[in-house]
Amino acid sequence: MALLLKAPCSAISQLEKTQIFKKQCCSLGNVNNNNVVFSRPRCLVPVVLSMSSTTKPIQELETPSSKNFNIPIMVNGCSGKMGKAVIKAADSIGLQLVPASFGSEEESGQTIEVCGKDILVHGPSDRESVLASVFDKYPNMIVVDYTVPSAVNDNAELYSKVGVPFVMGTTGGDRDKLYKTVENSKVYAVISPQMGKQVVAFLAAMEIMAEQFPGAFSGYSLQVLESHQTSKVDTSGTAKAVISCFQNLGVSFDMDQIQMIRDPKQQIEMVGVPEQHLAGHAFHMYHLTSPDQTVSFEFQHNVCGRSIYAEGTIDAVIFLSKKVQSQAYKRIYNMIDVLREGNMR
């Protein structure tokens, strides 16, 4: 993560730069009076906070101290790309993969092979009996959920009923209901809309700023763009969390103003997503402009691939396992708790 201070692009006024910025967006056909879509060539960027990440092979991320944790891990949604990424990350440090997973009715009975291991997928109809049986066999097991938004609440209710500790990486669903369900059950859980440790650290910094300097950006306008692979159907939970911080800083913005980019052509030409990462990326841009348009701020974090989330998920699994083993207080933890614990790989 770096803070980049950019000098003015020319001697023209800031207002003229704003007009140029909007004209550039208009040239792509993506601007109206209230909705500016970010284009790649732009000049109105006096202050930029930028962070980017690209996928590294799992073997490059290994360290000697990360080996042999030997924690049983059940990955629900193992046929999905995030599920497979988590399994690969888990396997690379010696976690014990439970050969069972939850999937859709259509996947029920299928055997998925990941990292040379066979995983039997169970459908919705026999989830409770399967989970209870697996948990009995692997009493130190941690469940990881990367299923679909529509399954979030039902799955959380099941984990809570059986009493199995879990890491919820799936976004969407009724989040208020999710937290209430888990809180009432007193089960160990890590729930976070964002599993990338570095992105979480950025979010934490935003929350501190919002708490200590409320209203600092009163009157500023905000445009938000988030681009993800076409398979992501819900709005980014990370974007919503950042926007909440801006709202506490005095910015007026409705969540339905978030511009979701899911079209591959727009992602390449307008957002700048590398073509090889269209199937797995998270590009976020937040653009603030002062009431008189003389000052602007831009925050950007770009992630290519899924390794940053998979590695963060494994850290959450290890963190939660330690909480269980130490008989810590049963509650909902988040990735900030994981960061604060330290000792990450």
Side-chain angles (χ1 to χ4, degrees), residues 264-324:
K265 188 172 186 293
Q266 287 185 321
Q267 290 173 339
I268 293 174
E269 297 178 357
M270 190 174 72
V271 183
V273 179
E275 187 171 358
Q276 66 268 32
H277 291 297
L278 287 175
H281 71 276
F283 277 39
H284 291 221
M285 288 164 273
Y286 311 87
H287 191 89
L288 290 156
T289 307
S290 64
D292 62 359
Q293 297 187 331
T294 61
V295 180
S296 69
F297 292 82
E298 184 169 283
F299 298 80
Q300 178 175 325
H301 52 93
N302 300 339
V303 174
C304 293
R306 296 176 172 83
S307 64
I308 185 174
Y309 310 120
E311 293 296 315
T313 300
I314 296 306
D315 278 328
V317 168
I318 296 169
F319 165 89
L320 200 58
S321 178
K322 289 179 179 178
K323 292 299 180 185
V324 174

Side-chain angles (χ1 to χ4, degrees), residues 130-202:
V130 169
L131 184 61
S133 176
V134 171
F135 193 33
D136 184 62
K137 184 176 181 180
Y138 302 93
N140 297 322
M141 178 179 74
I142 305 291
V143 168
V144 170
D145 191 297
Y146 275 107
T147 54
V148 293
S150 59
V152 165
N153 294 106
D154 286 344
N155 286 352
E157 288 179 7
L158 175 61
Y159 306 149
S160 298
K161 182 178 180 179
V162 176
V164 60
F166 69 95
V167 175
M168 177 61 74
T170 312
T171 58
D174 186 331
R175 304 308 278 191
D176 290 336
K177 182 180 178 182
L178 168 65
Y179 281 94
K180 184 177 180 180
T181 297
V182 181
E183 285 171 357
N184 291 340
S185 70
K186 300 296 182 184
V187 68
Y188 293 103
V190 172
I191 300 176
S192 177
Q194 172 59 251
M195 289 293 174
K197 294 173 290 187
Q198 294 78 13
V199 180
V200 170
F202 165 68

Side-chain angles (χ1 to χ4, degrees), residues 71-75 87 90 95-100 114 117 119 138:
I71 301 167
I73 178 174
M74 177 181 183
V75 181
I87 291 172
L95 297 190
Q96 182 181 2
L97 183 62
V98 173
V114 185
K117 297 176 175 61
I119 304 171
Y138 302 93

Side-chain angles (χ1 to χ4, degrees), residues 20 22 50 60 71-72 124 137 160 165 190 231 329:
I20 290 174
K22 291 186 176 181
S50 178
E60 292 183 17
I71 301 167
K137 184 176 181 180
S160 298
V190 172
S231 60
Y329 181 66

Side-chain angles (χ1 to χ4, degrees), residues 31 33 38 42 53 87 91-93 101 117 120-121 155 192 197 200 220 236 241 246 281 284-285 314 323 337:
V31 67
N33 290 333
F38 298 95
R42 56 185 180 277
S53 171
I87 291 172
D91 181 69
S92 73
I93 65 166
S101 177
K117 297 176 175 61
L120 179 61
V121 180
N155 286 352
S192 177
K197 294 173 290 187
V200 170
Y220 274 66
S236 167
F246 282 129
H281 71 276
H284 291 221
M285 288 164 273
I314 296 306
K323 292 299 180 185
D337 295 312

